[in-house]
Amino acid sequence: VEGASPPDVIIEYGEAPAQLSRPQKRTGWYEAGPGEFLLCIDAIARYYVHGGRRIVIAPVPGVEKEKILIFLMGSAMGALLHQRGVLVLHAGAVAANNHAVIFPGPSGAGKSTLAAGLHQRGFAFLADDVCAVTLEDGAPAVIPGFPRLKLWEDVLSRLGKDKDQLKKVVWTRNLEKYFMPVNHEHDLPVPLKTVFALETSDAKHIVVCELKGAAKIDPLIGNTYRLGFLEGLGGKKEHFRQCAKLAAQTAVYRVLRPREKFLLDELMDVLEAEF
């Protein structure tokens, strides 16, 4: 379009290298070096991410686009954000009272389920799984992500959603995961106010405790998205500084939920009271 600004990020199909020439870190599924990153997913695609500006996808012939998309939205986009110096957390996020609330946690902690449940209650969706936090202009803010959630079949049933109307994207542990589109209500970063770090425990009840001092940093570092990428990409010192700055400017809570039973409605009630 004449007069339009150049794209901030370019994502395209093309030729991706089979390997990086001088990686600082190499594993069985990715290679990383300063300014470049190569993700190799068997039977799906190779993703070459460079300069924090471009992702080139070399798909396996005939692979479903949804399978390509799940790794693009996840590890490839996470690597690009790391290249740009953005703090990337393994978290869900919604907006409440014109502020962002995020839910970092390990896989299985319930980040996506909680974000979906709160969105169903009327809170604006911001991010699922890959949560980008900018610390520019002195204050933390969440950058809105892709307007879709990845949810297990049993979670969709709990939320009253029809899985037959959605795209199936993952098969594992005899459960099926689906993309669920959500409304995209925010285009600009939303100021971040509160962090609820999700954990599971053997307790029978939900326990919420506010963290103080240096303890606030631990769940941010521990729930950084693909933290190992930084060993090859560089920037681990800057990452620690970002986590410390975020901890200093937000309220951080540890949320323990029963491992054997999710108690979604009870958890949402407890957190809404803290909002």
Side-chain angles (χ1 to χ4, degrees):
V1 178
E2 185 176 352
S5 300
D8 192 47
V9 175
I10 296 173
I11 301 172
E12 61 184 349
Y13 289 112
E15 293 296 323
Q19 60 184 37
L20 300 184
S21 57
R22 301 166 73 177
Q24 298 297 307
K25 183 176 183 179
R26 176 180 283 145
T27 73
W29 60 288
Y30 75 85
E31 300 178 8
E36 60 178 353
F37 177 90
L38 180 64
L39 175 69
C40 302
I41 306 298
D42 289 343
I44 295 179
R46 295 197 313 279
Y47 304 77
Y48 179 55
V49 187
H50 57 104
R53 298 289 179 186
R54 186 183 296 267
I55 300 176
V56 180
I57 305 168
V60 171
V63 68
E64 298 174 27
K65 290 184 179 180
E66 285 74 22
K67 291 184 177 180
I68 297 172
L69 184 60
I70 198 167
F71 292 98
L72 170 64
M73 292 170 57
S75 296
M77 187 58 65
L80 182 136
L81 291 167
H82 279 311
Q83 288 177 345
R84 294 171 76 102
V86 174
L87 177 60
V88 194
L89 298 178
H90 198 200
V94 299
N97 301 320
N98 297 317
H99 286 89
V101 179
I102 67 173
F103 315 103
S107 296
K111 302 179 296 295
S112 298
T113 302
L114 183 56
L118 289 169
H119 179 64
Q120 195 170 54
R121 285 194 177 190
F123 293 93
F125 171 83
L126 292 177
D128 173 34
D129 203 45
V130 181
C131 181
V133 179
T134 176
L135 290 147
E136 296 179 2
D137 302 323
V142 172
I143 302 171
F146 292 103
R148 56 176 63 191
L149 286 145
K150 298 186 298 294
L151 299 172
W152 295 112
E153 181 180 2
D154 61 333
V155 175
L156 290 170
S157 297
R158 185 182 303 169
L159 296 173
K161 300 295 183 181
D162 183 2
K163 67 181 179 63
D164 294 332
Q165 303 300 316
L166 304 175
K167 287 285 188 180
K168 187 189 302 183
V169 289
V170 174
W171 299 264
T172 184
R173 299 201 307 266
N174 297 319
L175 292 173
E176 297 172 340
K177 210 165 194 179
Y178 297 80
F179 276 139
M180 187 181 81
V182 294
N183 296 331
H184 200 173
E185 301 176 33
H186 291 273
D187 295 317
L188 300 176
V190 179
L192 175 55
K193 181 179 181 180
T194 314
V195 178
F196 293 101
L198 300 178
E199 299 178 21
T200 58
S201 75
D202 294 326
K204 295 182 179 180
H205 305 287
I206 296 166
V207 178
V208 180
C209 59
E210 186 172 6
L211 302 179
K212 299 292 185 179
K216 297 169 68 176
I217 303 176
D218 293 340
L220 303 177
I221 294 176
N223 290 301
T224 295
Y225 189 81
R226 302 291 189 259
L227 180 61
F229 288 2
L230 292 173
E231 295 174 10
L233 294 171
K236 292 195 73 173
K237 290 183 178 179
E238 175 63 14
H239 168 258
F240 180 84
R241 186 194 69 80
Q242 290 174 326
C243 289
K245 187 173 183 179
L246 176 58
Q249 298 190 55
T250 57
V252 181
Y253 297 84
R254 174 177 287 119
V255 181
L256 301 177
R257 71 163 183 85
R259 182 177 291 106
E260 298 302 324
K261 194 172 183 181
F262 198 108
L263 302 177
L264 176 59
D265 288 328
E266 293 90 333
L267 179 58
M268 290 191 292
D269 290 341
V270 169
L271 297 189
E272 279 194 59
E274 297 290 346
F275 291 173

